[in-house]
Amino acid sequence: MQRWPVLLFLAWVCFLFFAGIGLFMSGFLLTRIELASSSSCSDPLVPPPWERQSLPPGSCWAPQRFAKAVLVIIDALSFEFAHFNPAKASPLPYENKLSFLHRLATSQPRHARLYRFRADPPTATMQRIKGLTTGSLPTFIDVGSNFATYAIQEDNLLAQLVQNGRRVVFMGDDTWEGLFPKKFFRSYFFPSFNVKDLHTVDDGILQHLYPTVDSGEWDLLIAHFLGVDHCGHKHGPDHPEMAKKLTQMNEMLRSLVDHLGNDTLLLVAGDHGMTETGDHGGDSEKEVNAALFVYSKTPLFGTSPPEEPEAIPQVNLVPTVALLLGVPIPYSNIGEVMAELFSGDGDAVSTALQQLSVYHINAKQVDRFLHSYSLVAQDLPAEQLQRLQELFSGAMEEHTQLLAQVQGETLVPPELESRLGSLISRFQLYLREARAVCAQSWARFHPLRMVGGCTLIAASCLLCYVASELAASSGSFYRSCLLYPLLWGLVVAVLLGLAHAFTQEGLDLLLVLSWAAAASQLGFFWHWWGQYPKRARLVGSQPPLATVSLRQRLRAWLRLAFPMGILLFRCGAMFSDSFVVAEARVAPFLLASLVMLLVGKLHWDGRLTVPEGPKQQLLGFSYRREIWYLLCLVAMFLVCVRLSGFFHQCREEIPQCRPSLFLSPLASLRNTRAKNLFYLLCVALLAGLVYAVRSWLRHYGNLNSSDPLVLFVRWCFPLVVLCIACYWAVASSADDSLGKLQELVQVAVVAFPWAVYGLASVGLLLLLCNPMTVFAKDTRESAGSIVTPYLGVPSSEVDFLHVIPQIYKRMQESQKSRLERGSCKATVAAYGLGSVYSAALVIALTLLGFLLMLLHSERLSLAFLLLFLEAFVLLHIHTRAKGLAGDAEPFSVPWYAVISWLLAASQFFYSTGHQPIFPAIHWNAAFVGFHLDHSTNLLPAVLVGANTFASHILFAVGCPLLLLWPFVCEMPSSQRKKPKKEPQEELQEVEEHMMEMRLRESPEKFSTALLQLGLKYLFVLGTQLLACVCAAMILRRHLMVWKVFAPKFLFESLGFMVSSICLLLGISLVMRVDCAVSTWFSQLQLR
């Protein structure tokens, strides 16, 4: 068996796809250009002050209105949380809890005001921090670095304060430490990633907040609370814990106001909102609708607040705070000042003049940024820049004329007030249109890279299809189709590297790898086209068309058309946002349709009807049994598909959808009886899974030996179930109901998952070291002495009573062996050898299933049990359908089986509570077995990735079962009743039932079959990926691109990478078993 060439070829094909994904992603998800320029007090943005007006000391660009400011960020503070509605008699847990804000706003309307604080998507914490400090718009791809932050290089509010000698003190979320290194005069960072921890960050802030405020050793104090956000992730907003946390924030604000001085501005803001399930990251109304509360002990506003709170973009906070504190506005800001905060205590005209002054500064700063940005980038449309320039020039001309008239005192107050209001409106229009132009244009694409990536992926799909058809017909396949293309790619990579070295330009590794991948693809197709004649390329191994009847040709076409039609329909649906949104229902429908079409095709081919004539008496009963068995399997499969729909997550695009109750953990259930019943059901079904696996292994003889792996399956599988059950028990208990046992529970919550991790790792290690689950029994006639209870020769009649029965028994067994086996004496009986490959995969899948179920909430274990049951039924349907179809190629897996297997993987991606959107990611998985924060980002990324792509992992690792299962079950044709044969024929009949050992009779066909199966799997995966790539590229200016198509592309790309790697691991395990079997046979021959 050629093991390494198969793995190398599949790994090379995966590399081709990875290169295409990387190249396309670099063109589709480019970040905008960040300017290195920064603002300073010496910038000529402000015209010389008119008569009797000058900047006070310590001010820059505008008079400093406040000496200090406190920015309290309550993570995920939605507007609904901050808004107070006295009319509600029975508010929800998140409503009417911040009553202190309402009291300040109503009792001191000129000192306090509440705003709707509109966040720009993506609503992840790091992107919102960037927006709140730079005044710019983070791009979509930045969401990927939400938990792997890097320092902000752009000019920002903190940098301006430090540059102008101000002291910035921070306490709270440690995300700020990576974004603003060495920017804080004093800092108190606390770990932020553990979303199950509601109190560590908040309690740490409260410990330092009031002493720091009273010390006065600060100019800007930032306190970033995380408890509300973590409570939403853990429990959701509609939970008593949320009421407790918001009440704590209310008391904190009440105490904080008492410690503030008259020269201090208080800002209470939420960085984003929260969905009904407590998540965020997207752009739904609930996610972008945060709250902002402004308060000062000195009057701030000149007018009464509006009836409905005003909605302002979050970037507007940056220029407002900068000018209020007397520092320059950050260079890349595109926000608009909140002019009402510059009203002062004068009359209407003086108030309008102050507001006009800050608008003028703001407009000149934005115009300078747009001019600088347009010089280094061309992603802002020229015609829109021209329109913005006309708006700015017109407003500036009127501003100059109006100032001249004000200095000359030629305008009466009513006319002056009207002119000032009109000019302010013109500046507002310019600033808002400038922000809109940037928001629309900063999806900066690189068309050539996008087309190149799409071409690489399409060529890789074609290569998979051609190679899968070619592998079986070529003796020199690996040399011509693997070695030569690899040499082509290597030569191109070396030439590009030398060219970069001689030109001394920066080496773009992604481009080098992409060119190398393209060259290797070209080499493959070149050798394929040149080595094989045209006729062979066109018709392959099929018989000439003249010798094939029309019905046969139609059947051959339909054999491929049905599954490929389903695949093409699924790919075409990727171009419709409605289908992508509803894919949780589309994937099961297509899977069920494919299975029903398979049954219909068998009926159309006459495979389900009882044959007429003489053969009916011989084979009729067997056919009828097979047909009914197949129909029962199909019915069971449809039930599984239907039941899987009870575990779906909802998207906000479907407002009538309600998320499944099974998605929430047992700890969220308030009914103790229901919690206990669900717990017992989950544990019972988990134990049932172990029982079913062990029964299957025992049935095929794979649990008879005393090897370490077999002993592990016997004793450690139940132990793993016990550890998972104990973890579920302690994790589902209420935090405040354990009393003195709380510390013990905290230890158990960490210890039990680690026990599962350890046991599963040991099991996988044993599987890798010795995957044989075969029990060999030596049945040769022994020449040794017979066992007796005495020493020496028999000396009495009693002694002979021990010897004679044993001699007779041995003679009887020897005679029986000769009668049954003829002249061929049995030497060794091997139990479990016929299913040795499948047994290893089943054990591996069970261990992976334990790990993945541990990373999900307790009730989703029911979905995993459905997954295993549906996969088992699919394998049997595939086996029965192949037997009924009379497939003459036992080493080939049909396309319908591969496509249905992958559709099932997509189905259970949704049926394990996932959606291809960022708010649906289960971040809790990163802390299963970890009580404190992680020291690195790699481990939580692996845990969250395993949780998200659990179905991809299981179906990819189990893909070789599509090839092995028909051999395990024996083809139905070999199980039919046959007439009585002579002893020699009976010997051949016994030898025919070799199950998976048939694969070892033709090792070359076995390796080719694994290669073909892997290529078919990658072809179907790649075709789906190609559809997502094309949809994202063609619809990149679509209204729903960042909400639907871009997330779908990212999830599909990650899913492809996970599936392809796990496919290689599954095939590698089969080859490891084959190597162990070869060693076992070698040792057997030496006996």
Side-chain angles (χ1 to χ4, degrees):
M1 181 180 184
Q2 296 182 343
R3 302 185 184 98
W4 286 111
V6 171
L7 290 177
L8 284 176
F9 194 90
L10 291 176
W12 171 62
V13 173
C14 292
F15 162 73
L16 299 179
F17 278 108
F18 292 171
I21 292 172
L23 186 61
F24 180 85
M25 194 174 293
S26 68
F28 181 67
L29 298 176
L30 282 177
T31 58
R32 63 176 176 84
I33 295 177
E34 294 184 353
L35 302 182
S37 305
S38 61
S39 301
S40 66
C41 288
S42 59
D43 292 340
L45 293 184
V46 184
W50 56 83
E51 188 179 359
R52 298 185 305 274
Q53 192 172 27
S54 61
L55 292 178
S59 298
C60 187
W61 288 18
Q64 176 184 2
R65 187 163 184 192
F66 292 97
K68 299 177 182 293
V70 177
L71 174 58
V72 177
I73 298 178
I74 301 178
D75 209 293
L77 181 64
S78 173
F79 180 80
E80 294 178 330
F81 297 177
H83 183 61
F84 191 90
N85 186 2
K88 282 210 169 186
S90 301
L92 297 173
Y94 59 84
E95 292 179 331
N96 291 359
K97 297 301 181 292
L98 298 180
S99 56
F100 180 68
L101 300 184
H102 175 70
R103 186 171 70 82
L104 285 179
T106 53
S107 62
Q108 305 178 56
R110 294 193 60 198
H111 296 253
R113 187 162 297 181
L114 179 66
Y115 296 89
R116 293 183 182 271
F117 208 32
R118 305 290 293 183
D120 296 296
T123 50
T125 295
M126 193 195 74
Q127 281 64 40
R128 293 298 86 238
I129 294 175
K130 286 185 175 181
L132 288 169
T133 54
T134 64
S136 188
L137 301 177
T139 48
F140 180 85
I141 191 57
D142 287 339
V143 76
S145 57
N146 191 35
F147 301 106
T149 60
Y150 49 90
I152 293 179
Q153 304 297 329
E154 272 189 307
D155 193 14
N156 57 81
L157 183 60
L158 273 65
Q160 285 296 330
L161 288 166
V162 174
Q163 180 180 319
N164 287 274
R166 308 297 177 86
R167 298 163 298 178
V168 181
V169 175
F170 178 84
M171 52 189 70
D173 186 351
D174 61 354
T175 304
W176 291 71
E177 183 179 14
L179 292 175
F180 304 100
K182 301 179 181 179
K183 287 291 191 297
F184 300 111
F185 177 76
R186 189 179 294 112
S187 57
Y188 306 95
F189 297 112
F190 302 97
S192 61
F193 191 57
N194 189 354
V195 294
K196 293 185 176 181
D197 185 359
L198 308 186
H199 307 294
T200 298
V201 177
D202 293 1
D203 293 345
I205 296 174
L206 293 175
Q207 181 181 354
H208 300 283
L209 179 61
Y210 307 122
T212 303
V213 172
D214 294 337
S215 70
E217 297 179 353
W218 53 275
D219 296 295
L220 175 64
L221 191 153
I222 304 174
H224 191 158
F225 291 87
L226 289 177
V228 172
D229 178 66
H230 287 188
C231 183
H233 284 297
K234 185 177 182 180
H235 301 292
D238 192 9
H239 192 276
E241 285 295 325
M242 182 62 77
K244 296 178 183 178
K245 184 52 65 175
L246 289 174
T247 302
Q248 181 189 27
M249 293 296 100
N250 188 63
E251 295 304 317
M252 177 271 298
L253 293 172
R254 189 191 309 274
S255 301
L256 179 60
V257 168
D258 294 336
H259 289 77
L260 296 180
N262 293 332
D263 61 345
T264 303
L265 174 69
L266 173 64
L267 301 162
V268 182
D271 58 341
H272 51 75
M274 183 184 295
T275 64
E276 294 178 352
T277 58
D279 299 312
H280 59 88
D283 62 350
S284 66
E285 178 62 26
K286 288 182 178 292
E287 290 170 283
V288 302
N289 194 20
L292 172 66
F293 182 79
V294 183
Y295 172 76
S296 171
K297 291 189 175 181
T298 58
L300 267 175
F301 306 98
T303 59
S304 300
E307 292 185 4
E308 281 296 324
E310 181 184 356
I312 61 169
Q314 282 190 351
V315 291
N316 289 11
L317 187 66
V318 174
T320 304
V321 174
L323 295 181
L324 285 174
L325 295 180
V327 297
I329 300 174
Y331 194 92
S332 301
N333 165 74
I334 58 170
E336 172 192 344
V337 291
M338 300 164 61
E340 60 270 21
L341 297 181
F342 298 87
S343 299
D345 298 326
D347 56 12
V349 173
S350 62
T351 296
L353 283 172
Q354 291 184 30
Q355 294 179 355
L356 178 62
S357 175
V358 295
Y359 268 120
H360 169 257
I361 295 171
N362 192 186
K364 292 194 71 174
Q365 172 265 319
V366 172
D367 176 71
R368 179 185 65 173
F369 166 70
L370 292 178
H371 177 72
S372 301
Y373 190 84
S374 61
L375 293 178
V376 298
Q378 284 72 43
D379 49 355
L380 296 179
E383 62 276 5
Q384 295 189 8
L385 284 176
Q386 180 64 30
R387 167 170 167 74
L388 289 175
Q389 186 60 41
E390 292 174 358
L391 286 175
F392 177 73
S393 301
M396 289 301 295
E397 289 178 6
E398 184 177 348
H399 179 265
T400 303
Q401 296 173 4
L402 186 59
L403 283 186
Q405 293 175 357
V406 170
Q407 293 176 10
E409 298 181 355
T410 59
L411 295 176
V412 296
E415 183 182 359
L416 177 59
E417 185 177 351
S418 175
R419 291 280 301 277
L420 287 171
S422 174
L423 182 55
I424 288 174
S425 298
R426 296 187 66 174
F427 277 124
Q428 286 177 339
L429 177 63
Y430 166 75
L431 291 169
R432 291 170 186 177
E433 290 207 5
R435 179 179 176 274
V437 168
C438 293
Q440 292 173 2
S441 303
W442 276 344
R444 183 173 177 265
F445 303 112
H446 196 302
L448 287 179
R449 291 196 173 204
M450 293 167 63
V451 172
C454 187
T455 304
L456 275 178
I457 295 173
S460 301
C461 291
L462 179 61
L463 187 149
C464 286
Y465 184 82
V466 171
S468 67
E469 300 294 327
L470 195 64
S473 60
S474 173
S476 60
F477 173 78
Y478 298 106
R479 183 180 70 253
S480 60
C481 296
L482 176 61
L483 180 60
Y484 295 145
L486 286 179
L487 291 176
W488 280 47
L490 183 61
V491 169
V492 170
V494 170
L495 290 177
L496 288 175
L498 292 175
H500 280 284
F502 282 116
T503 57
Q504 295 183 351
E505 294 181 358
L507 183 65
D508 190 336
L509 183 60
L510 181 59
L511 279 180
V512 172
L513 293 177
S514 300
W515 277 110
S520 62
Q521 285 179 338
L522 184 61
F524 173 86
F525 290 115
W526 179 273
H527 283 276
W528 167 65
W529 190 262
Q531 188 169 349
Y532 298 95
K534 184 176 181 181
R535 186 170 180 272
R537 285 195 298 265
L538 294 178
V539 302
S541 59
Q542 299 297 325
L545 293 179
T547 63
V548 181
S549 67
L550 178 63
R551 183 178 181 86
Q552 288 176 325
R553 276 184 282 168
L554 188 59
R555 285 179 178 176
W557 180 81
L558 287 177
R559 186 181 302 129
L560 191 62
F562 279 140
M564 288 299 179
I566 294 290
L567 177 62
L568 290 177
F569 183 86
R570 171 169 167 75
C571 293
M574 301 295 184
F575 291 83
S576 168
D577 59 330
S578 301
F579 272 94
V580 174
V581 169
E583 193 178 11
R585 290 176 291 171
V586 173
F589 171 77
L590 293 179
L591 177 59
S593 301
L594 180 58
V595 172
M596 296 305 295
L597 284 173
L598 172 63
V599 176
K601 180 180 176 302
L602 289 173
H603 178 72
W604 188 73
D605 289 342
R607 303 293 182 178
L608 301 184
T609 56
V610 178
E612 297 179 358
K615 293 183 179 180
Q616 184 175 358
Q617 297 179 355
L618 178 64
L619 301 176
F621 177 80
S622 177
Y623 266 113
R624 185 175 295 112
R625 185 184 63 181
E626 293 295 328
I627 293 169
W628 282 110
Y629 186 69
L630 176 63
L631 293 180
C632 290
L633 288 174
V634 171
M636 188 182 302
F637 165 77
L638 295 177
V639 171
C640 290
V641 171
R642 183 64 177 173
L643 291 177
S644 68
F646 289 103
F647 302 92
H648 285 171
Q649 178 66 277
C650 288
R651 295 179 63 124
E652 62 96 11
E653 294 92 344
I654 309 177
Q656 69 273 17
C657 176
R658 292 292 177 268
S660 171
L661 297 176
F662 295 95
L663 301 180
S664 57
L666 288 179
S668 63
L669 289 179
R670 302 177 188 177
N671 189 325
T672 305
R673 184 177 181 182
K675 181 190 296 186
N676 293 336
L677 288 176
F678 272 117
Y679 173 78
L680 293 175
L681 177 62
C682 293
V683 173
L685 291 179
L686 187 60
L689 173 64
V690 172
Y691 176 78
V693 170
R694 293 179 59 183
S695 298
W696 186 89
L697 293 171
R698 187 179 298 108
H699 173 74
Y700 286 103
N702 296 104
L703 282 186
N704 292 326
S705 73
S706 57
D707 291 335
L709 179 60
V710 175
L711 295 178
F712 181 89
V713 173
R714 287 180 184 173
W715 302 107
C716 292
F717 271 22
L719 186 58
V720 172
V721 172
L722 179 62
C723 291
I724 295 177
C726 292
Y727 171 71
W728 286 347
V730 295
S732 61
S733 58
D735 293 339
D736 54 354
S737 62
L738 300 171
K740 297 180 180 180
L741 296 177
Q742 186 65 37
E743 294 183 1
L744 183 61
V745 168
Q746 294 297 334
V747 174
V749 167
V750 175
F752 285 122
W754 273 103
V756 177
Y757 295 152
L759 288 171
S761 300
V762 170
L764 293 174
L765 187 62
L766 291 174
L767 188 62
L768 182 64
C769 295
N770 184 16
M772 292 290 289
T773 54
V774 177
F775 174 60
K777 182 179 179 182
D778 195 344
T779 60
R780 290 175 294 189
E781 295 181 6
S782 175
S785 60
I786 296 174
V787 178
T788 60
Y790 53 84
L791 296 176
V793 296
S795 58
S796 64
E797 184 178 353
V798 177
D799 294 339
F800 276 105
L801 293 177
H802 291 281
V803 178
I804 294 175
Q806 295 189 51
I807 296 175
Y808 178 80
K809 184 177 181 181
R810 176 165 295 182
M811 294 174 59
Q812 191 178 33
E813 290 175 352
S814 178
Q815 182 67 21
K816 182 179 179 181
S817 175
R818 290 190 178 93
L819 290 174
E820 292 181 351
R821 306 281 180 171
S823 61
C824 194
K825 296 182 181 180
T827 58
V828 174
Y831 297 91
L833 190 61
S835 57
V836 63
Y837 297 100
S838 298
L841 282 172
V842 168
I843 294 172
L845 290 172
T846 306
L847 290 172
L848 290 174
F850 288 147
L851 292 174
L852 295 173
M853 278 188 274
L854 185 69
L855 297 178
H856 288 74
S857 62
E858 301 89 346
R859 288 184 285 181
L860 280 178
S861 60
L862 307 179
F864 278 93
L865 297 174
L866 271 180
L867 182 153
F868 283 111
L869 178 60
E870 184 173 316
F872 179 79
V873 173
L874 266 179
L875 289 172
H876 277 279
I877 291 176
H878 159 54
T879 300
R880 297 300 171 181
K882 194 172 182 179
L884 288 171
D887 198 339
E889 299 180 2
F891 287 87
S892 177
V893 178
W895 282 102
Y896 72 80
V898 179
I899 295 176
S900 62
W901 197 251
L902 274 164
L903 283 175
S906 298
Q907 170 202 353
F908 278 99
F909 170 77
Y910 296 99
S911 295
T912 49
H914 298 99
Q915 285 281 351
I917 51 176
F918 293 107
I921 295 176
H922 300 175
W923 299 111
N924 291 342
F927 295 96
V928 176
F930 297 89
H931 180 60
L932 300 176
D933 201 18
H934 291 279
S935 57
T936 65
N937 292 314
L938 178 61
L939 185 57
V942 170
L943 293 176
V944 173
N947 173 282
T948 304
F949 299 105
S951 63
H952 296 72
I953 294 171
L954 292 174
F955 279 94
V957 172
C959 178
L961 289 174
L962 293 172
L963 173 64
L964 302 172
W965 207 260
F967 293 95
V968 174
C969 299
E970 284 290 353
M971 302 298 289
S973 58
S974 67
Q975 295 176 352
R976 298 168 188 166
K977 292 184 178 180
K978 297 182 180 180
K980 186 175 181 180
K981 298 182 173 70
E982 296 299 324
Q984 184 68 23
E985 293 180 343
E986 290 181 357
L987 171 64
Q988 297 175 356
E989 179 70 17
V990 171
E991 291 180 346
E992 183 184 355
H993 295 276
M994 297 175 63
M995 299 168 67
E996 288 180 348
M997 287 300 101
R998 296 179 188 275
L999 296 166
R1000 290 194 52 83
E1001 291 181 342
S1002 304
E1004 294 300 323
K1005 287 186 177 182
F1006 188 15
S1007 59
T1008 300
L1010 286 174
L1011 177 62
Q1012 286 182 314
L1013 175 60
L1015 289 172
K1016 287 181 178 181
Y1017 200 85
L1018 291 175
F1019 171 81
V1020 179
L1021 275 174
T1023 305
Q1024 296 177 165
L1025 174 65
L1026 180 63
C1028 290
V1029 166
C1030 292
M1033 180 176 66
I1034 296 172
L1035 303 174
R1036 62 185 181 275
R1037 294 297 180 187
H1038 191 278
L1039 179 64
M1040 306 294 286
V1041 62
W1042 301 118
K1043 192 171 189 177
V1044 176
F1045 297 110
K1048 176 62 179 174
F1049 157 69
L1050 287 177
F1051 276 81
E1052 197 72 31
S1053 300
L1054 292 174
F1056 177 90
M1057 293 180 181
V1058 172
S1059 297
S1060 57
I1061 293 173
C1062 291
L1063 173 68
L1064 290 176
L1065 293 177
I1067 293 177
S1068 300
L1069 178 60
V1070 173
M1071 293 183 173
R1072 175 67 187 92
V1073 176
D1074 185 74
C1075 183
V1077 171
S1078 299
T1079 304
W1080 184 83
F1081 274 115
S1082 300
Q1083 295 175 350
L1084 195 64
Q1085 292 175 358
L1086 297 176
R1087 292 186 180 181

